[in-house]
Amino acid sequence: RNQRKAVVSTQSTGATTFVAYCIYFDYKRRSDPMYKQKIRERRRAERNKAREEELDIPMPKSVDPNSIQKFFMDQVQIGEEKLGMGDYKGAVKHFASAVLHCGQGYQLLSILQSTMPPEAYKMFMEFLPKAQARYSRQMLNKAAPKTATPAQAKAAAERVIAEEAVD
């Protein structure tokens, strides 16, 4: 019986010590002058990361016409699969990537409008300008030499986009 009292007493002392340490640690953390700033920065970074992931669209590995055509077909297929599963966000990303790499984008848009559910097509049309802007920035970074001025980089990106539109 005394042994049981000793075990219970030890356990309760340990639990009390643990809770006291947690309270002390929380007090020290909250009294840190940089606490709120660190929380804001962490939340801002998480939001920015989520936005970047939201706009992250698949890109082809190479720029030769055969690989771009295969990439286009793969994106349409994956988009259809995701649409069939009800994953509209995933479908929208893949369809946007397909439209950006399609020679006849307007024809594809009309096909998508007739085949997609209205709410998915609305999401797609809201996402497409963002995807185009992201794609342009990626092409700008890809095409611009490291020592180019912003005007030269923009001109180089426009050349790359125009060349891809011709293909």
Side-chain angles (χ1 to χ4, degrees), residues 68-105:
I68 288 180
Q69 184 177 6
K70 182 182 180 331
F71 176 78
F72 166 75
M73 296 302 285
D74 290 344
Q75 292 307 302
V76 170
Q77 181 181 0
I78 294 169
E80 288 173 349
E81 290 171 2
K82 290 196 180 266
L83 192 62
M85 292 188 296
D87 179 12
Y88 289 169
K89 276 188 173 182
V92 162
K93 284 183 182 182
H94 289 284
F95 284 138
S97 183
V99 167
L100 291 174
H101 295 93
C102 177
Q104 297 90 16

Side-chain angles (χ1 to χ4, degrees), residues 120-131:
Y121 188 74
K122 183 178 183 244
M123 285 175 60
F124 171 71
M125 291 308 289
E126 291 171 357
F127 180 75
L128 191 58
K130 297 173 192 172

Side-chain angles (χ1 to χ4, degrees), residues 51-149:
R51 282 187 195 130
E52 288 296 317
E53 288 175 357
E54 179 180 300
L55 291 177
D56 194 24
I57 58 170
M59 298 291 285
K61 301 282 187 247
S62 65
V63 292
D64 68 277
N66 290 334
S67 68
I68 288 180
Q69 184 177 6
K70 182 182 180 331
F71 176 78
F72 166 75
M73 296 302 285
D74 290 344
Q75 292 307 302
V76 170
Q77 181 181 0
I78 294 169
E80 288 173 349
E81 290 171 2
K82 290 196 180 266
L83 192 62
M85 292 188 296
D87 179 12
Y88 289 169
K89 276 188 173 182
V92 162
K93 284 183 182 182
H94 289 284
F95 284 138
S97 183
V99 167
L100 291 174
H101 295 93
C102 177
Q104 297 90 16
Y106 293 111
Q107 290 175 349
L108 182 59
L109 284 174
S110 65
I111 292 169
L112 289 174
Q113 183 177 14
S114 63
T115 58
M116 290 174 78
E119 60 272 7
Y121 188 74
K122 183 178 183 244
M123 285 175 60
F124 171 71
M125 291 308 289
E126 291 171 357
F127 180 75
L128 191 58
K130 297 173 192 172
Q132 286 173 325
R134 171 92 181 217
Y135 180 75
S136 296
R137 279 195 308 272
Q138 287 176 339
M139 289 296 113
L140 180 71
N141 292 338
K142 190 179 197 183
K146 298 297 182 210
T147 59
T149 65

Side-chain angles (χ1 to χ4, degrees), residues 2-27:
N2 284 339
Q3 187 178 12
R4 185 174 179 159
K5 280 185 179 182
V7 169
V8 169
S9 174
T10 304
Q11 288 177 342
S12 63
T13 303
T16 304
T17 304
F18 176 74
V19 169
Y21 176 75
C22 289
I23 292 170
Y24 167 78
F25 181 75
D26 187 55
Y27 170 78

